[in-house]
Amino acid sequence: MGVQKNLKWALVLSGGGAKGLAHVGFLKAFSRLGYPEPSLVAGTSMGAIVGGVYASGMPIEELAGFAENEFDITRYLDSFVFKLNGPVGKFLQAGQLLGNIAGKPGVDSGKELLALIRRLTGNKNFEDSRIPFRCNAVDLVKGREVVFSSGNMAEAIRASMSFPVFFEPLLMENMCLVDGGLADNMPVRIAGEAGFNRILAVDVGGFKPRPASEMETAPKIIYRALEVVLYRMNLLEKQYHADLVITASSKASPFSFNLKAELIALGEQAVKDHEKALAAFFGSGPRAWFARRNYRAHRSAAKPEGNFAETQ
């Protein structure tokens, strides 16, 4: 089975909070296989952060090194509500959370994260990105999805990761922008509408049941409620579908940034687990064509349950 070296294809990265660190592992392992780079990268929320930094031109080795050795989410938050542990910490967190919800549009301003994203992307505009990039957000003013393809990449990514309550919305051009995952947490449609017929999606969401004991704080309950809504939305029929969906899901919560090594390793393992499917995705000739067709048929026949379509 040969490889289509000049294949025009799109990479779509889902949202998922801390679980999105698996995208770093995916890109790290994928880069070793020698397949052509994507012609477009689209992402939402954490997928927008990882995808945007990768598309901007940061070498994957450098991105992986930063995520593995330097990244500490608490360094880039200006609110101490996310930084305290233990019983006393939880008590103070609850107090500040309620205070911030009552008097501010979000617990954290997102300013420190915006500064970090500017640094990681070189503060580039979309037009200057090494690989074409797209991300989405939701405008609360008009109740619509906004897809960014021009302007400053860091600002668009900051809008895409503005999860309600946790981060203040980004105000831009009379829009009040929040997390793009609220409209489409796996924005395959963006790639489809850009004209791509070969689309590879990486899903780190992997909706799973969780014990009631985990619903212990207001932030976790809010996030879980939105997870359920997004999961139900994704069960609906959509116009565009990825040719290959690689699932890298775990029992980690969207807040488990302390598990970054495990989550990055999960993304690497997902590539190993799907090497045959990747070979078919990038392959040329009748054998690869039949393999892709069989995957699409299998995915269409599968009933959605805890996880979305997955190729073994």
Side-chain angles (χ1 to χ4, degrees), residues 9-17 19-28 30 38 40-56 60 63 131-137 145 157 160-161 179-182 184-191 199-206 234 238 242 244-248 267 270-271 278 308:
W9 67 283
L11 175 64
V12 178
L13 304 179
S14 78
K19 295 185 289 185
L21 289 169
H23 291 315
V24 176
F26 169 85
L27 290 170
K28 182 180 177 182
F30 176 82
L40 175 77
V41 177
T44 191
S45 199
M46 193 65 174
I49 297 175
V50 176
V53 172
Y54 170 67
S56 72
I60 185 57
L63 172 57
I131 300 173
F133 174 65
R134 304 284 186 274
C135 66
N136 65 343
E145 181 184 21
I157 294 169
S160 185
M161 46 96 11
D179 198 297
L182 300 180
D184 191 348
N185 200 45
M186 179 66 81
V188 171
R189 179 184 54 79
I190 293 176
I199 302 171
L200 191 164
V202 182
D203 179 16
V204 301
N234 275 283
K238 292 188 175 182
L244 173 61
V245 178
I246 291 181
T247 302
V271 172
L278 286 166
F308 299 120

Side-chain angles (χ1 to χ4, degrees), residues 19 87 92 169 235 285 307:
K19 295 185 289 185
L92 294 174
L235 294 182
N307 295 316

Side-chain angles (χ1 to χ4, degrees), residues 278-291:
L278 286 166
F281 181 88
F282 291 101
S284 61
R287 184 180 172 189
W289 183 85
F290 277 109

Side-chain angles (χ1 to χ4, degrees), residues 17-308:
K19 295 185 289 185
L21 289 169
H23 291 315
V24 176
F26 169 85
L27 290 170
K28 182 180 177 182
F30 176 82
S31 66
R32 302 187 188 119
L33 298 179
Y35 293 125
E37 286 188 335
S39 305
L40 175 77
V41 177
T44 191
S45 199
M46 193 65 174
I49 297 175
V50 176
V53 172
Y54 170 67
S56 72
M58 176 177 281
I60 185 57
E61 297 82 4
E62 186 176 345
L63 172 57
F66 171 80
E68 293 168 350
N69 304 314
E70 300 178 49
F71 181 66
D72 178 358
I73 187 66
T74 61
R75 293 173 53 192
Y76 307 104
L77 301 172
D78 56 24
S79 171
F80 76 87
V81 70
F82 296 116
K83 303 181 182 183
L84 301 175
N85 296 310
V88 175
K90 289 183 178 180
F91 176 78
L92 294 174
Q93 286 174 1
Q96 191 192 22
L97 178 65
L98 291 172
N100 283 5
I101 290 176
K104 295 175 62 178
V107 175
D108 196 272
S109 72
K111 292 179 181 178
E112 296 296 329
L113 275 173
L114 176 58
L116 172 66
I117 298 167
R118 288 192 191 281
R119 176 165 68 86
L120 295 178
T121 60
N123 205 29
K124 290 182 178 179
N125 288 334
F126 281 82
E127 296 80 3
D128 302 319
S129 183
R130 185 174 64 86
I131 300 173
F133 174 65
R134 304 284 186 274
C135 66
N136 65 343
V138 172
D139 175 23
L140 295 181
V141 175
K142 295 185 177 180
R144 63 189 179 98
E145 181 184 21
V146 177
V147 177
F148 290 95
S149 60
S150 62
N152 184 264
M153 291 179 66
E155 291 181 2
I157 294 169
R158 164 67 179 84
S160 185
M161 46 96 11
S162 300
F163 202 82
V165 178
F166 299 93
F167 294 104
E168 294 183 7
L170 184 72
L171 303 179
M172 177 191 298
E173 299 176 359
N174 297 318
M175 295 184 292
C176 182
L177 299 167
V178 296
D179 198 297
L182 300 180
D184 191 348
N185 200 45
M186 179 66 81
V188 171
R189 179 184 54 79
I190 293 176
E193 292 183 348
F196 285 85
N197 296 317
R198 193 76 64 86
I199 302 171
L200 191 164
V202 182
D203 179 16
V204 301
F207 183 88
K208 296 179 182 293
R210 292 191 178 278
S213 59
E214 291 189 7
M215 316 301 166
E216 56 187 358
T217 64
K220 290 183 178 180
I221 292 172
I222 293 169
Y223 197 103
R224 182 58 173 177
L226 290 171
E227 266 192 329
V228 172
V229 171
L230 295 175
Y231 169 65
R232 300 306 305 175
M233 287 172 55
N234 275 283
L235 294 182
L236 301 176
E237 186 67 24
K238 292 188 175 182
Q239 182 179 359
Y240 294 100
H241 297 277
D243 296 276
L244 173 61
V245 178
I246 291 181
T247 302
S249 63
S250 74
K251 294 181 179 179
S253 81
F255 306 97
S256 300
F257 286 96
N258 60 310
L259 301 178
K260 61 181 180 180
E262 292 90 333
L263 291 167
I264 292 170
L266 178 69
E268 294 183 83
Q269 185 60 47
V271 172
K272 295 178 182 178
D273 293 342
H274 294 79
E275 285 187 356
K276 290 183 179 179
L278 286 166
F281 181 88
F282 291 101
S284 61
R287 184 180 172 189
W289 183 85
F290 277 109
R292 291 193 296 271
R293 190 186 69 168
N294 289 338
Y295 167 69
R296 286 193 293 268
H298 172 75
R299 181 195 58 198
S300 298
K303 293 182 179 179
E305 295 177 345
N307 295 316
F308 299 120

